[in-house]
Amino acid sequence: MITFDWKGVFPAVTTKFTDNDELDFDAFDVNLAAQLEAGVDGFILGGSLGEASVLTDDEKFALLKHTIDYVDGKVPVILNIAEQTTKAAVACAKRAFDTGADGLMLLPPMRYNSEERETLAYIGAVAESTELPIMIYNNPVDYKIEVTLDMFEKLSVYKNIQAVKESTRNVSNVTKMFNRFGNRYAIFTGVDPLAMESLVMGADGWVAGLVDAFPKETVAIYRLVKAGRIAEALAIYRWFLPVLELDIHPKLVQYIKLAEVATGIGTENVRAPRLPLIGEERTKVLKIINDALAVRPELPVGSWGKLSEVEA
């Protein structure tokens, strides 16, 4: 089985498109370089922010292959699986392994609101089909199906199900998972405006969204919390929070891509049916971003970069 440490900041990267609606690998590389410079610990492709629902399978795996080659083993590369059928999810897992992915992030079935027995069978079938490590994406707010603690108990028999992206919006779930399972599952916070709260409660990592525009600040918060330097992390987090709240809007893709443009590491192109922001909405979002940039904090020395940790 492939192994790596499920901890740290894992950007859920956006997918870059050219003006002709093709994959824009040049713009993608600019963002990957900024993330690596900031010291992120892994990449997740094909998530909600990656506009997975409008990518073809060939595009997803072209992105995966390109990212694996670009990263060159520096950090793990994870592919998200968001499929409607068990057959398609298993095929995706097998193709991800063959392409060289380091792990998978797995959503319950899409579109169909599966019951517990069906959800467990779906997840179990994927786990049995691959030796890749798996993170369960638990987001009942957006995707309507919750993976409960009792369900995680049943899934614990699968050794390659190793982590959870905790996006229930209930911070106490971090503690509940630790109380029930100890260190059986690595817990990643998946909701940017609840990230520091979850990290203080012991979450192992952060699947982040606004990291796509502000990689150094995101890494700094994570590392400072883990070093016990809470006051320093909190100062950055309070500055960051109005921007982090862009992550929980239905148009999070457009909002975060606009932030990437503002910080010089992305483009605004989205794939239809999404359209770029216009009018009052665009003005409002830009004001949030520009207000933050106007008072962007100076980060503590060593809180970002290639170092794996900061001093306590």
Side-chain angles (χ1 to χ4, degrees):
M1 185 184 300
I2 296 171
T3 60
F4 56 86
D5 288 334
W6 285 104
K7 66 179 182 179
V9 175
F10 283 48
V13 293
T14 57
T15 300
K16 308 298 187 290
F17 299 104
T18 66
D19 292 341
N20 296 323
D21 198 33
E22 303 291 336
L23 295 179
D24 188 342
F25 290 110
D26 290 338
F28 191 62
D29 289 350
V30 169
N31 194 269
L32 291 180
Q35 305 293 339
L36 289 171
E37 180 189 11
V40 301
D41 301 282
F43 288 108
I44 296 178
L45 307 176
S48 307
L49 262 178
E51 298 177 70
S53 62
V54 296
L55 296 177
T56 67
D57 283 349
D58 285 344
E59 285 176 327
K60 290 178 188 177
F61 286 98
L63 278 171
L64 177 61
K65 178 65 166 59
H66 179 88
T67 306
I68 291 168
D69 290 344
Y70 185 91
V71 169
D72 193 26
K74 296 181 180 69
V75 296
V77 179
I78 312 299
L79 182 68
N80 182 56
I81 294 181
E83 298 291 344
Q84 299 176 50
T85 68
T86 304
K87 181 178 180 180
V90 167
C92 186
K94 291 180 177 179
R95 188 172 176 184
F97 177 82
D98 292 341
T99 305
D102 297 294
L104 304 170
M105 186 168 75
L106 177 62
L107 277 160
M110 303 299 289
R111 294 193 179 181
Y112 175 62
N113 191 1
S114 57
E115 65 178 19
E116 177 176 324
R117 179 174 63 95
E118 294 168 324
T119 303
L120 290 172
Y122 175 91
I123 294 172
V126 176
E128 290 172 357
S129 74
T130 183
E131 63 186 77
L132 289 175
I134 295 172
M135 169 189 282
I136 301 300
Y137 184 1
N138 194 15
N139 186 349
V141 176
D142 293 322
Y143 296 108
K144 310 310 176 190
I145 299 171
E146 180 172 5
V147 184
T148 65
L149 269 69
D150 287 345
M151 293 167 73
F152 276 113
E153 184 77 55
K154 294 174 182 177
L155 292 171
S156 65
V157 299
Y158 299 104
K159 300 302 183 184
N160 59 333
I161 299 180
Q162 298 175 356
V164 54
K165 179 183 176 184
E166 166 50 48
S167 297
T168 63
R169 313 296 202 268
N170 183 356
V171 175
S172 68
N173 262 6
V174 175
T175 301
K176 290 175 182 177
M177 286 288 289
F178 280 120
N179 286 349
R180 181 84 169 258
F181 302 111
N183 294 320
R184 169 62 182 83
Y185 295 104
I187 301 173
F188 278 60
T189 176
V191 182
D192 276 3
L194 297 176
M196 182 165 171
E197 292 87 342
S198 299
L199 291 170
V200 170
M201 290 299 101
D204 301 285
W206 182 356
V207 176
L210 268 303
V211 68
D212 292 336
F214 294 90
K216 293 176 183 177
E217 288 85 356
T218 306
V219 170
I221 291 170
Y222 173 82
R223 291 188 181 171
L224 290 167
V225 169
K226 290 303 178 182
R229 293 163 60 175
I230 303 300
E232 291 171 278
L234 184 57
I236 303 168
Y237 188 62
R238 286 175 173 167
W239 161 83
F240 207 1
L241 186 59
V243 180
L244 292 174
E245 288 177 331
L246 300 176
D247 181 60
I248 55 173
H249 191 278
K251 290 187 181 178
L252 77 164
V253 173
Q254 290 96 317
Y255 288 5
I256 292 176
K257 283 192 168 183
L258 195 57
E260 288 180 332
V261 172
T263 57
I265 56 173
T267 69
E268 201 177 342
N269 293 337
V270 290
R271 175 166 283 177
R274 289 184 178 88
L275 296 173
L277 302 177
I278 59 172
E280 183 178 343
E281 183 179 24
R282 179 184 178 85
T283 300
K284 179 180 177 181
V285 174
L286 274 175
K287 185 177 187 306
I288 293 170
I289 297 165
N290 289 330
D291 284 353
L293 287 172
V295 291
R296 197 170 188 174
E298 183 175 346
L299 303 176
V301 173
S303 62
W304 61 271
K306 296 181 180 179
L307 297 175
S308 60
E309 59 186 29
V310 297
E311 294 182 1

